[in-house]
Amino acid sequence: MPYREFFATTVIGLEDVCAREVAGILGLPGLPELGRGRIFFRAPLEAIYELNLWARTMHKLFLLLYRGDFGGTLEGIYRAARQLDYTGIIRPEQSFAVRAERVGQHDFTSMDVAAQVGQAVIDSYMASRGVRLKVNLDEPDMELYAFVRDQKLLLGINTTGVSLHRRGYRVFKHPAALRTSVAAAMLYLAGWEGRGVLVDPMCGGGTIPIEGALMARHVPPGSFRGTAFAFASFLDVDEFLRRRDEALAGVSQKKYNIIGIDRVRVFLDGAMRNARSAGVADTISFRLGDATRLAECLNEPPTHVVVNPPYGVRMKARGLRRLYRAFLRSLSDLAPGCHLVLITAARGTFKRAAEAVGVEVLEERRILHGELKASIFKCLV
């Protein structure tokens, strides 16, 4: 099968995690090239099936159409898009839309970018086929993506549809829910593979324990979406279903030692509903308890602790300092030597608490969780 150029989007700050995951899924000889919130790689066309089915830290996968300098003008954007041949991508009866993003100083808007690319597609297709393609901004058959950063233009075809971090199993939404892609990346950073005891002591809606269970059981995260993928408009959906069914036939039913703890009963009930929806309720133990008194909730020390604690948005600074120190002291007393991965926007508060308790910070990485700047800490307790 011939190789194609691709790029994938992910969380800013977790590009290397996504690159390693993609390389592992596809068996690539090397790691993809890293960009800001993106990775670039060459792979067979079947990568569209495999990555949309299996990727946990990726958001969207695009077929790369153009990547280069456009000269900084709208005319340059039009020329770059106009030179491409879309006849092998869009059928004459299909509609399309262009979604655009722009970063940097320009004398035009994202809407201007979308309009120029859209006109270029129409003109190119008309010249090649004598057909004027239909534009449908609401429910297009094909979605083109145009990204402008400074003098660079990136064009691609969305193969995914809505972001893969919207798994489809979440029936209860916690008010401070963690993205599933971030949870999966944190579990990778913690080295979780199903061995040992995984604990989320402030589990909220259960995203981290559920993602940990799905990873341990090798459940493909794309299996929850049916055929709701953008590639369904131009690739054989039956081939995807064959791969999905084959993957689901290999899912493990083994019970893993995964525990979610929260002090709020309504959140814990919601987490259990989410776990049932994801099909992993039988391998997660949800417990009402206090993260600052872990010995009262756990019968054995955890080997992996992955947690998304409060950041201080709804809590005063003094209360947050007390929470972080008490939690780390409780964990240190119960499970010295365990792996801890934690995300917070209160990086200074956490670092001071870790130093005070004697928890070693091995790595800090800054990420963008939605619009919120946060840090993921990898620690040894």
Side-chain angles (χ1 to χ4, degrees), residues 225-363:
R225 290 174 55 149
T227 57
F229 294 93
F231 67 72
S233 65
F234 61 95
L235 287 181
D236 181 6
V237 174
D238 288 340
E239 173 60 18
F240 173 78
L241 293 176
R242 184 190 68 77
R243 292 169 185 256
R244 184 201 65 182
D245 293 346
E246 184 178 284
L248 290 175
V251 166
S252 167
Q253 294 304 315
K254 180 180 176 181
K255 300 293 179 63
Y256 293 89
N257 205 339
I258 302 172
I259 301 166
I261 301 168
D262 205 279
R263 62 186 300 174
V264 180
R265 168 57 71 181
V266 67
F267 295 161
L268 210 62
D269 290 343
M272 287 187 277
R273 287 173 56 203
N274 286 338
R276 286 193 295 271
S277 177
V280 293
D282 62 327
T283 193
I284 303 174
S285 173
F286 288 106
R287 302 173 185 178
L288 194 66
D290 189 336
T292 66
R293 302 164 69 177
L294 289 173
E296 297 179 5
C297 315
L298 299 171
N299 300 321
E300 58 181 314
T303 56
H304 301 77
V305 174
V306 182
V307 61
N308 173 34
Y311 299 169
V313 177
R314 300 176 179 85
M315 182 183 294
K316 292 182 178 179
R318 184 178 299 176
L320 194 67
R321 287 196 298 270
R322 285 200 298 265
L323 172 64
Y324 282 11
R325 287 197 183 196
F327 159 59
L328 291 176
R329 191 172 293 112
S330 174
L331 181 60
S332 183
D333 290 344
L334 178 67
C338 82
H339 300 280
L340 167 66
V341 174
L342 176 145
I343 182 172
T344 180
R347 57 186 298 269
T349 301
F350 174 76
K351 289 173 76 173
R352 287 188 291 272
E355 183 178 2
V357 176
V359 170
E360 182 183 2
V361 175
L362 303 176
E363 177 188 349

Side-chain angles (χ1 to χ4, degrees), residues 38 44 53 61 132 139 162 185-186 212 234 236 240 252 269 337 348:
R38 292 166 178 78
L53 180 63
L61 177 68
R132 181 179 177 84
E139 295 182 353
V162 298
M186 292 172 67
F234 61 95
D236 181 6
F240 173 78
S252 167
D269 290 343

